[in-house]
Amino acid sequence: MKKNAIILFLLMALPTLLLTSCLKDQEDVFEESASARTANYLSNAKKVLTSAENGWLLNYYPDRDQSYGGTPYVLKFGDETVEVSSELAGDPTYSVESTYVLRNEDGPVLMFDTYNELMHYFATPSGSSGAGGYEAYDGDFIFIILGISADQDTITLKGSRSGNVMYMYRLPGSGVDYLSKVLETEETMPVNYTFNVQDEIVNVTLSGGTASFISPSKKVNELMAYIYTDRGIEFYEPVDIYGTVLNGIVNSGEAEVTSSIGDSPVQMKVVFLPINEIFVNTDWYLSYANLGEFAKPYFDKAIAGSASEGEIISMMAFTLINGNFSLYFLSGKYPGALAFSTEYIGEDQIRLTYNPANNYSNGNWYYKNAGYNNLLVPLERTFRLESNSKIRPTVVRMVDTEEPTNVITVTTSAASF
């Protein structure tokens, strides 16, 4: 009996002995505690962040569904501060400095801990509802560090709020130059494409940070967020169309053909929208100096009508109001608009017809009481549209097809009338 008891005791003790041995092996493998290892990781991360002479490019995606697309940031890290630039500012030389910290919060975390108007833009709520409202844009300013590449040129992050995986790349050149090229891409890149894959025609449209891939048969119906780069656009994730993987699209400018970015690039035909469609869907500012000889006398009567009310016309613009193409104006503090129906003629002409049923705000009053009815003489006509670009025009000449002296030049730049 004693012999059996001894054997039983040894069998019961064996797991404990093995566990002790395993723990000893683990102690040999991990000579430091978990907190010490994280501290060393964060120390190395700081060295990597501050070692980039030109800073880092962060391809930032707010919103857990990437609804707004991506925004490029340039970040230059000092010992405790970070200098932030972004395409958001519209000025590549503009930067804002704030502080950052690296800390352990159940893992290594990079936090932009003091307010920065650029870095915190997508995470700052406002009093309104909807996008940018009390929930802001579901943006991040705290990032979990998922990894640093072996060559220390790429850092993988995860937004703590959105859960989006984002990448920071060491910039080989000037951040100002990079953002300048991004802004140029935004201005010059077409937004409509078509390509053929396995006998399926796929139409691609870029809008509001989201690319749609749709075929007439509806066999292809994909959406993917994108970000502007110095050479085109890059998708948040690769898009797979019948085994053809697309990572982005090269900016073709005004060329008729371009290619996708990826391991198997496809040729894409650029689809340019007719200028008359672009015209109707863009805001265009008028100025008195850019009115032709024929139009000025009739606008003079509207100016005199406003003056009789002690007002000055400070602004006039063609714009869409409630889906109606309209001549919007601001006379003193009073807004109004005269509405027009539009008819496309070919690809470069448009016919404007007064549509009083859709006048806006004080439009009817100024039409009846302040001489604004005279504006129909130069405007209710057919115009040939001449633009300075077939992609994103900023200047359009409206040339009357019947009266050669009736030429009105409009611009996308906000201007006083």
Side-chain angles (χ1 to χ4, degrees):
M1 291 293 295
K2 288 183 180 179
K3 184 177 180 182
N4 291 337
I6 291 172
I7 292 173
L8 179 61
F9 171 77
L10 290 174
L11 290 173
M12 292 175 65
L14 185 58
T16 303
L17 294 172
L18 290 174
L19 179 61
T20 302
S21 176
C22 289
L23 288 174
K24 184 177 186 305
D25 290 343
Q26 286 183 345
E27 289 172 0
D28 291 339
V29 172
F30 300 111
E31 296 180 357
E32 299 176 310
S33 67
S35 60
R37 291 195 303 274
T38 302
N40 289 336
Y41 186 90
L42 290 174
S43 176
N44 179 64
K46 188 165 189 175
K47 290 179 183 177
V48 174
L49 287 174
T50 56
S51 69
E53 181 180 354
N54 297 305
W56 296 84
L57 166 66
L58 168 62
N59 283 343
Y60 179 101
Y61 284 87
D63 185 66
R64 61 204 67 197
D65 296 318
Q66 304 94 45
S67 303
Y68 312 108
T71 298
Y73 281 82
V74 170
L75 309 174
K76 294 185 74 172
F77 292 90
D79 190 51
E80 295 180 347
T81 61
V82 58
E83 184 181 339
V84 181
S85 304
S86 174
E87 165 265 348
L88 271 177
D91 178 358
T93 65
Y94 181 77
S95 64
V96 180
E97 188 175 85
S98 56
T99 61
Y100 75 97
V101 292
L102 290 161
R103 63 174 56 169
N104 178 13
E105 293 188 2
D106 295 326
V109 164
L110 168 62
M111 177 187 298
F112 298 89
D113 62 330
T114 57
Y115 180 73
N116 183 302
E117 65 179 272
L118 296 177
M119 196 68 240
H120 291 81
Y121 174 81
F122 291 103
T124 303
S126 69
S128 63
S129 60
Y134 69 95
E135 290 187 343
Y137 295 91
D138 198 22
D140 293 288
F141 59 91
I142 301 173
F143 301 89
I144 302 163
I145 304 175
L146 296 182
I148 301 173
S149 64
D151 60 7
Q152 299 188 343
D153 284 346
T154 304
I155 300 175
T156 305
L157 306 173
K158 182 179 181 180
S160 64
R161 182 180 183 186
S162 69
N164 292 336
V165 175
M166 311 177 210
Y167 298 93
M168 286 205 303
Y169 303 99
R170 187 186 296 266
L171 279 167
S174 162
V176 171
D177 289 346
Y178 183 86
L179 291 178
S180 296
K181 291 176 181 176
V182 168
L183 291 169
E184 182 180 343
T185 299
E186 290 185 21
E187 291 297 322
T188 61
M189 186 160 184
V191 296
N192 293 280
Y193 305 84
T194 183
F195 68 94
N196 190 309
V197 55
Q198 292 194 8
D199 296 325
E200 189 81 15
I201 299 295
V202 181
N203 298 309
V204 185
T205 301
L206 309 181
S207 178
T210 299
S212 62
F213 299 80
I214 302 174
S215 63
S217 68
K218 303 299 183 183
K219 291 181 180 178
V220 176
N221 193 347
E222 299 283 343
L223 296 175
M224 182 56 64
Y226 65 84
I227 191 169
Y228 284 106
T229 73
D230 58 342
R231 60 179 298 211
I233 63 164
E234 178 183 300
F235 300 129
Y236 175 70
E237 293 178 337
V239 179
D240 190 331
I241 308 293
Y242 292 133
T244 297
V245 178
L246 290 73
N247 294 325
I249 301 174
V250 176
N251 180 20
S252 64
E254 295 199 358
E256 306 242 342
V257 177
T258 188
S259 65
S260 67
I261 302 169
D263 294 335
S264 303
V266 297
Q267 290 295 101
M268 291 185 160
K269 181 180 178 181
V270 181
V271 180
F272 296 103
L273 291 178
I275 182 57
N276 46 18
E277 290 188 31
I278 295 175
F279 181 77
V280 167
N281 291 283
T282 306
D283 294 338
W284 300 100
Y285 292 87
L286 290 80
S287 67
Y288 187 80
N290 286 334
L291 298 175
E293 175 187 337
F294 181 85
K296 280 184 177 178
Y298 300 100
F299 277 85
D300 286 340
K301 292 179 180 181
I303 293 171
S306 287
S308 69
E309 299 295 319
E311 300 163 7
I312 295 174
I313 302 175
S314 58
M315 192 261 281
M316 279 192 169
F318 289 119
T319 187
L320 287 176
I321 299 179
N322 299 324
N324 302 301
F325 186 77
S326 305
L327 176 66
Y328 176 86
F329 59 84
L330 188 61
S331 179
K333 63 179 180 181
Y334 300 103
L338 306 181
F340 293 85
S341 298
T342 58
E343 178 188 354
Y344 298 147
I345 302 172
E347 295 190 348
D348 66 347
Q349 294 186 32
I350 189 168
R351 172 71 183 174
L352 302 182
T353 305
Y354 181 52
N355 184 9
N358 291 318
N359 282 353
Y360 169 77
S361 189
N362 298 294
N364 285 328
W365 191 92
Y366 281 87
Y367 179 86
K368 295 176 181 178
N369 301 287
Y372 279 48
N373 57 306
N374 291 285
L375 298 178
L376 300 191
V377 179
L379 295 181
E380 196 174 28
R381 292 170 173 268
T382 300
F383 295 94
R384 185 179 70 257
L385 304 174
E386 301 174 352
S387 67
N388 64 337
S389 169
K390 62 181 181 179
I391 301 171
R392 286 182 176 86
T394 57
V395 179
V396 166
R397 294 177 75 244
M398 303 169 60
V399 181
D400 192 328
T401 57
E402 295 182 357
E403 175 51 64
T405 62
N406 188 23
V407 179
I408 301 172
T409 301
V410 294
T411 68
T412 57
S413 299
S416 299
F417 181 71

